[in-house]
Amino acid sequence: MKTTKLLLGALCGLVVPAMPVLAGEPDANVLYNHHCAICHGVSRLGGIGPALLPDNLSRLKRAEAVEVIRDGRAATQMPGYGELLGEAEIAALAEWIYEPPEVEPSWSDADILASHVVSHAYGTLPDEPVFEVEDLKNLFIVVEIGDHHVSLLDGDRFERITRFPSRYALHGGPKYTPDGRYVFFGSRDGWVTKYDIYNLEVTAEVRAGINMRNIAVSADGNYVLAGNYLPHTLVLLDARNLELIASIPVEGLNGETSRVSAVYTAPPRNSFVAALRDIPEVWEIRWPEERAEGDEALVGDFALHRMEAPDYLDDFFFDMEYRYLVGAARGGKGGQVFDMDEEVKVADLPLEGMPHLGAGITWELDGRRVMAMPHIDKGQVSVFDMTDWSLITHIETDGPGFFMRSHENSPYAWVDVFFGPNHDRIHVIDKQSLEIVETLIPEPGKTAAHVEFDRRGETLLLSVWDDDGYLLWLDANTLEELGRMPMKRPSGKYNVWNKTQYEEGTSH
């Protein structure tokens, strides 16, 4: 029996004695409490390490979980247990963390308040950047999911300004304040992090939930809204120091509670919009005008407006004016176009299966505005006329896609084929002919995904999404490679100008 070895608890700086291996089947609960709870929490809610609950682990395959437990995770504080635990014990632990807990965990206002940390109070850091660049609005934030880091890049010289560690499994994309100085990150574990780009410092953090989908920042930069899967809440924060304003239970008119699939900022409406997974409603949180008829008081000047939807809608696309909402339920039958002013469905879209509306983009074609989005379950990009919501065409691709991007100044739209055997390809679509004019394979066998343009639409970044991956820097017109930067599974890239100006070729 392995009774004499010691495990260095790298996450906590503690030395944990090895537990004697007993006869019979391994008891995963006992193993967890002895080896894992000190860093991942006694209820698997997370602590120094991430939460180990089924929904929080959706990005990690079970076979990968076995490898992480056995070998640890490079460039993180997760140690390997291969010399301490047997294969059966490791397998039992990996299986157990994917099982729901017997009692559903909770996360109260008291928990949120207890998690709150302010490293640099709002207004205490200098207002001038500590670095020099040509254009502060042409910076990129790059999320590197392979080792949970973030890079800040100069978009003119293609140079890294800094690189810093992030929370585990950032999700839903970083969000900037309107001036581009601050960026907010949301993690799958519910952490909201505020980062001062000018000073290269994390200024505040708070844990808004156990399993969080994404965050949104108000158009004026004053508020942050977090949408949770667990618990079923929306959490409203003051953007200055991430102080709690309100935790809003998500309960429908039918009395059912719901997970929040996503939250969005609707700048022209001075509001947030929430997509709900389990109830047929669309929620709009408005401020600071007087409450309209039918609005429910929330807190202070904030009011909740409920719109009964014709179906469950948990994936959204908005027109440029944020009057029309296009919604679909994952795995549902077709899309719904919803007039948010009149609160009525105005059209159905033939979008069977799993269109990725959240990756939708829009552009001008023959004097009319069109929208296009990939499908997660089929090799197809659908293009619709937004004047009457009629189908223009389905563009056949080499596989199901996840991300689609363009820019107002670019003649091309880019779409990956993220799922399936051809994931190393990315298509370039002519926005006027609606034909694929080029298919790139940057690195055979390695996933190519997620394009983001610079602020002028002249150059772009493309990820080779692999542990030995990199960023490609391409000329947006000639498609010529301009350079590359090694990174460990770079995923999303977010240009300050495009995101703060709601550029038509990027998702919002």
Side-chain angles (χ1 to χ4, degrees):
M1 294 190 298
K2 301 174 182 177
T3 59
T4 60
K5 292 184 179 179
L6 297 180
L7 168 67
L8 179 62
L11 289 174
C12 309
L14 300 176
V15 176
V16 181
M19 183 181 69
V21 178
L22 303 177
E25 293 295 323
D27 187 324
N29 191 6
V30 172
L31 289 169
Y32 177 87
N33 287 330
H34 187 80
H35 297 291
C36 314
I38 193 168
C39 296
H40 295 279
V42 293
S43 300
R44 297 158 57 190
L45 298 185
I48 300 173
L52 298 180
L53 297 167
D55 285 341
N56 298 67
L57 296 170
S58 60
R59 289 184 178 180
L60 187 70
K61 297 178 181 178
R62 297 193 185 207
E64 295 172 335
V66 169
E67 293 178 6
V68 171
I69 296 170
R70 182 181 62 235
D71 304 326
R73 189 185 286 275
T76 75
Q77 294 175 309
M78 173 67 190
Y81 287 74
E83 294 187 6
L84 186 66
L85 300 177
E87 287 296 321
E89 294 170 308
I90 291 172
L93 266 176
E95 183 72 21
W96 186 72
I97 61 177
Y98 285 90
E99 295 295 326
E102 293 182 5
V103 178
E104 183 172 289
S106 63
W107 196 252
S108 66
D109 286 3
D111 295 315
I112 296 173
L113 293 170
S115 72
H116 185 219
V117 176
V118 178
S119 305
H120 300 280
Y122 182 76
T124 61
L125 292 175
D127 292 330
E128 294 299 319
V130 297
F131 54 88
E132 293 185 4
V133 293
E134 179 181 327
D135 187 352
L136 284 168
K137 293 296 179 69
N138 200 29
L139 301 176
F140 288 83
I141 285 287
V142 182
V143 175
E144 304 172 49
I145 63 175
D147 57 1
H148 310 293
H149 277 71
V150 173
S151 285
L152 176 66
L153 303 184
D154 179 347
D156 292 299
R157 294 181 293 186
F158 187 47
E159 294 177 353
R160 181 186 272 130
I161 297 167
T162 191
R163 186 173 188 265
F164 55 94
S166 74
R167 289 284 178 176
Y168 176 79
L170 297 186
H171 192 249
K175 301 298 190 297
Y176 298 102
T177 51
D179 60 3
R181 173 171 173 173
Y182 299 101
V183 62
F184 298 84
F185 302 94
S187 79
R188 181 80 77 176
D189 283 347
W191 284 98
V192 182
T193 303
K194 182 179 182 181
Y195 185 82
D196 184 341
I197 292 174
Y198 286 12
N199 290 281
L200 308 180
E201 293 279 0
V202 171
T203 64
E205 283 194 304
V206 68
R207 192 177 186 187
I210 297 170
N211 186 299
M212 188 171 68
R213 302 308 293 175
N214 76 320
I215 58 173
V217 176
S218 61
D220 58 12
N222 292 332
Y223 307 106
V224 177
L225 185 69
N228 288 322
Y229 252 35
L230 184 67
H232 295 177
T233 57
L234 291 160
V235 177
L236 185 63
L237 304 167
D238 186 317
R240 289 173 294 185
N241 292 315
L242 295 182
E243 293 168 334
L244 177 65
I245 296 174
S247 181
I248 306 161
V250 180
E251 182 175 329
L253 294 170
N254 60 6
E256 298 291 327
T257 64
S258 178
R259 296 166 289 177
V260 180
S261 294
V263 289
Y264 305 84
T265 301
R269 306 178 67 84
N270 208 30
S271 67
F272 292 114
V273 179
L276 308 181
R277 181 87 179 201
D278 306 307
I279 56 177
E281 298 178 25
V282 175
W283 279 21
E284 185 173 21
I285 296 177
R286 302 168 171 174
W287 75 92
E289 301 171 354
E290 295 182 7
R291 287 208 316 274
E293 184 178 353
D295 285 359
E296 302 172 24
L298 283 181
V299 61
D301 294 323
F302 293 87
L304 169 63
H305 186 75
R306 303 170 183 262
M307 291 172 278
E308 293 187 71
D311 199 351
Y312 297 94
L313 304 177
D314 69 342
D315 188 22
F316 287 174
F317 174 91
F318 296 91
D319 72 326
M320 298 293 284
E321 289 74 36
Y322 284 80
R323 174 173 178 173
Y324 294 102
L325 178 157
V326 183
R330 293 289 171 87
K333 297 180 179 179
Q336 316 274 335
V337 183
F338 195 67
D339 184 328
M340 295 180 67
D341 287 347
E342 301 297 328
E343 301 184 24
V344 63
K345 185 178 79 171
V346 296
D348 291 301
L349 299 183
L351 286 171
E352 293 185 359
M354 296 179 68
H356 191 199
L357 293 173
I361 62 173
T362 178
W363 67 85
E364 290 287 333
L365 174 63
D366 299 329
R368 54 185 171 163
R369 184 155 290 276
V370 302
M371 61 176 284
M373 80 289 296
H375 291 253
I376 295 175
D377 62 344
K378 65 182 71 175
Q380 193 176 86
V381 170
S382 297
V383 185
F384 289 89
D385 185 337
M386 296 180 71
T387 59
D388 61 4
W389 306 104
S390 61
L391 175 68
I392 296 175
T393 190
H394 293 304
I395 303 170
E396 300 302 317
T397 65
D398 288 343
F402 196 70
F403 299 107
M404 191 168 187
R405 291 291 186 268
S406 186
H407 192 282
E408 182 181 10
N409 297 330
S410 173
Y412 303 124
W414 296 64
V415 65
D416 58 47
V417 285
F418 194 84
F419 305 101
N422 299 318
H423 55 89
D424 55 1
R425 305 179 187 181
I426 191 160
H427 295 307
V428 183
I429 299 171
D430 185 297
K431 294 195 295 189
Q432 300 307 307
S433 69
L434 304 183
E435 295 180 351
I436 295 173
V437 295
E438 191 72 51
T439 298
L440 304 181
I441 305 178
E443 187 85 15
K446 294 185 178 181
T447 299
H450 196 279
V451 162
E452 176 76 317
F453 286 77
D454 75 334
R455 69 168 291 178
R456 294 175 291 275
E458 297 172 352
T459 53
L460 57 85
L461 284 172
L462 167 65
S463 290
V464 173
W465 200 312
D466 192 85
D467 283 344
D468 295 319
Y470 48 86
L471 291 182
L472 284 179
W473 195 253
L474 303 173
D475 185 295
N477 294 307
T478 67
L479 313 186
E480 175 188 2
E481 180 179 329
L482 303 176
R484 59 179 63 186
M485 180 181 292
M487 286 188 179
K488 195 174 181 67
R489 292 182 72 195
S491 56
K493 299 158 293 296
Y494 307 89
N495 180 266
V496 171
W497 175 266
N498 293 341
K499 289 300 184 183
T500 58
Q501 301 303 308
Y502 295 87
E503 215 290 324
E504 66 178 24
T506 189
S507 63
H508 302 163

